[in-house]
Amino acid sequence: QARDRRIADLMVMWGARAAADLADLARDRSSTAALASAEEGLERVVALRASQEGKPWTPGGPEDLVQPAREAIYAAEVARLRGDADAERWTVVADMCHAAALLWEEQLALVRLAHSLLAIGAGSSAAAPLRNVHRFAVREGAVGLQEEVRALAATARISLVDPESTG
């Protein structure tokens, strides 16, 4: 039975996201052991993908925007795993996800962008991405995402009310 390499790549992307989430928790708890465990877990997922047929992240054709977007998410999550808060990287990921019509992934990239901007002290720049994600989350009924954005906005003292809609 043939295996779809795109599914394997998707699993690697999700593995990188999970590892980065675990690394964030490990850093919050100052646990070098948990951080190492997150890194090792991702290494195992990447090694498993390497044992499968097909070159990772190969687009299905010239019009395939999904595979490049997923590869960009993977790279950004690996950077987050390593503690790199690169706002520009998340901007590129959000743009690529938008172009590929990966709307949920675009919203998550915008949340990561906001986190990155806040980490470098550019809180006012985080307002627009947070407002965009909040509008999406409300429209789609994504309660968990709404809660995450509200909490992040409250921590950064950012209003989720669009200034143009109040004037």
Side-chain angles (χ1 to χ4, degrees), residues 101-124:
L102 296 173
L103 300 181
W104 183 260
E105 298 300 341
E106 177 186 3
Q107 304 312 307
L108 295 181
L110 290 172
V111 171
R112 300 283 183 250
L113 170 60
H115 277 284
S116 295
L117 291 167
L118 293 170
I120 62 171
S124 62

Side-chain angles (χ1 to χ4, degrees), residues 41-148:
L42 180 58
E43 287 172 9
R44 285 193 303 273
V45 170
V46 170
L48 181 60
R49 171 58 180 105
S51 73
Q52 304 296 309
E53 288 184 25
K55 182 180 175 193
W57 312 115
T58 302
E63 311 240 336
D64 182 0
L65 301 177
V66 172
Q67 280 295 90
R70 287 179 176 165
E71 182 178 17
I73 294 167
Y74 166 77
E77 292 292 6
V78 169
R80 185 168 69 95
L81 167 70
R82 295 181 178 140
D84 181 0
D86 183 353
E88 181 59 30
R89 180 179 289 118
W90 286 110
T91 300
V92 169
V93 169
D95 291 345
M96 291 178 77
C97 289
H98 181 80
L102 296 173
L103 300 181
W104 183 260
E105 298 300 341
E106 177 186 3
Q107 304 312 307
L108 295 181
L110 290 172
V111 171
R112 300 283 183 250
L113 170 60
H115 277 284
S116 295
L117 291 167
L118 293 170
I120 62 171
S124 62
S125 297
L130 287 174
R131 288 180 186 131
N132 287 339
V133 175
H134 187 257
R135 277 192 300 275
F136 172 87
V138 169
R139 183 178 68 243
E140 298 300 320
V143 176
L145 186 57
Q146 288 177 51
E147 291 171 358
E148 180 180 358

Side-chain angles (χ1 to χ4, degrees), residues 10-24:
L10 182 60
M11 295 297 119
V12 172
M13 183 198 83
W14 285 340
R17 178 173 291 150
D21 287 345
L22 289 171
D24 282 346

Side-chain angles (χ1 to χ4, degrees), residues 20 22-31 35 39 79-84:
L22 289 171
D24 282 346
L25 287 172
R27 281 189 284 276
D28 287 346
R29 296 177 178 152
S30 299
S31 174
L35 182 56
E39 292 170 348
R80 185 168 69 95
L81 167 70
R82 295 181 178 140
D84 181 0

